Every structure is written in structure tokens, then in C-alpha cells.
Amino acid sequence: MEEGTSKEPTHCADTGDGYDVLQWDVREDCEVRQILDRIADKWSLLVIALLDRQSLRFTELRRAIDGVSQRMLTVTLRQLERDGLVERTVHPVVPPRVDYALTPLGRTLHATIQSLVTWTEAHQREIAAARAAYDTRENAS
């Protein structure tokens, strides 16, 4: 289990209308914070995106994700499996074959991630301009 992750879920906030983000954001044992930390991790986002259209083997995932170590990919897949977002299927062949796929819950998360990617693509020029303006101000000081 990941350090700082409790075995029992703690419900920190009602995330309905008018919720107070600080109610869950400052508490490390908060279930919502733990889930957000997991799914917002750069490796998790990439794994979920890659598994959207097909199941993949570990080696296929590792080749597709530039910069991920074998250990980090293993940890990421185990955490996503524990959270019910990815399923691991072991095929009874020699040598053993293991495939990873999104669960129905993971597919619903992919739709949300796709919205974030779409927003980023639509606003990337504005963000680049804001970064350039910021850097110019900082370098002038």
C-alpha cells in the first residue's frame, strides 16, 4: 500500500454544489484527495489514455510511455488495478501473457480525461502566451 494511504476510506467533503475545496485538500487521509492524487499522476493519465481503445501487454505500455521505468509502470498499474480502473488478465500460456485493460469505471474516467485534453488543446496558445508574458516579467525584475 502506498505510504500515507489509509486502508479505510474517509469521506472528507460533500462534493455537491458549493463544496469547500479546502475541506478535502488539506487532509492527507482524505479519500477524495487520494483518488485525485492517483488519477492526476502523469503515468496514470498516460496508461488510462493508452488503454482506451484496446488492452495492452506490459511491454507494449512500457514502449509507448516515454520515460517510464519498469518499476514505476508496475506500481502505477497495481494502483490503478486496486482502484478498480484497470483490470489485469493472465492468460494460461507459456510464457505467461498478461494484458491490461480499462474497466467500465476506468472508461468513464477516460471520458473525463479526454475533456481535459480537449480543453488543453483548445487553450494551448493562450497558455503559451501567458507563460511567455510571465517569463518576460520575471526576467525584467
Side-chain angles (χ1 to χ4, degrees):
M1 180 178 327
E2 184 177 349
E3 182 179 328
T5 303
S6 64
K7 290 182 182 180
E8 297 299 320
T10 50
H11 304 282
C12 313
D14 175 10
T15 56
D17 290 339
Y19 75 97
D20 178 7
V21 69
L22 293 179
Q23 185 175 357
W24 57 263
D25 192 45
V26 298
R27 296 170 52 183
E28 283 193 32
D29 64 339
C30 177
E31 179 181 18
V32 172
R33 181 175 173 176
Q34 291 172 12
I35 294 167
L36 286 172
D37 286 348
R38 170 95 61 253
I39 61 176
D41 167 86
K42 69 179 178 177
W43 304 124
S44 296
L45 288 172
L46 290 168
V47 167
I48 292 165
L50 286 167
L51 293 177
D52 175 48
R53 293 200 171 102
Q54 63 183 337
S55 65
L56 294 170
R57 297 171 78 173
F58 183 91
T59 53
E60 293 170 320
L61 283 166
R62 183 145 183 238
R63 274 193 296 260
I65 302 174
D66 187 42
V68 70
S69 68
Q70 180 171 336
R71 181 188 179 286
M72 195 66 237
L73 182 56
T74 298
V75 167
T76 299
L77 287 166
R78 285 182 183 160
Q79 291 171 340
L80 291 171
E81 183 179 8
R82 179 175 181 250
D83 289 343
L85 302 172
V86 168
E87 64 185 355
R88 178 178 183 263
T89 304
V90 180
H91 300 278
V93 295
V94 177
R97 178 178 164 192
V98 179
D99 290 324
Y100 295 90
L102 290 181
T103 64
L105 180 61
R107 283 192 293 280
T108 66
L109 178 58
H110 182 270
T112 301
I113 291 169
Q114 187 58 46
S115 294
L116 182 60
V117 170
T118 300
W119 180 90
T120 304
E121 289 171 343
H123 297 283
Q124 64 185 338
R125 286 190 180 98
E126 294 168 75
I127 293 168
R131 287 176 176 175
Y134 177 89
D135 292 346
T136 299
R137 286 191 311 271
E138 285 298 305
N139 291 333
S141 355

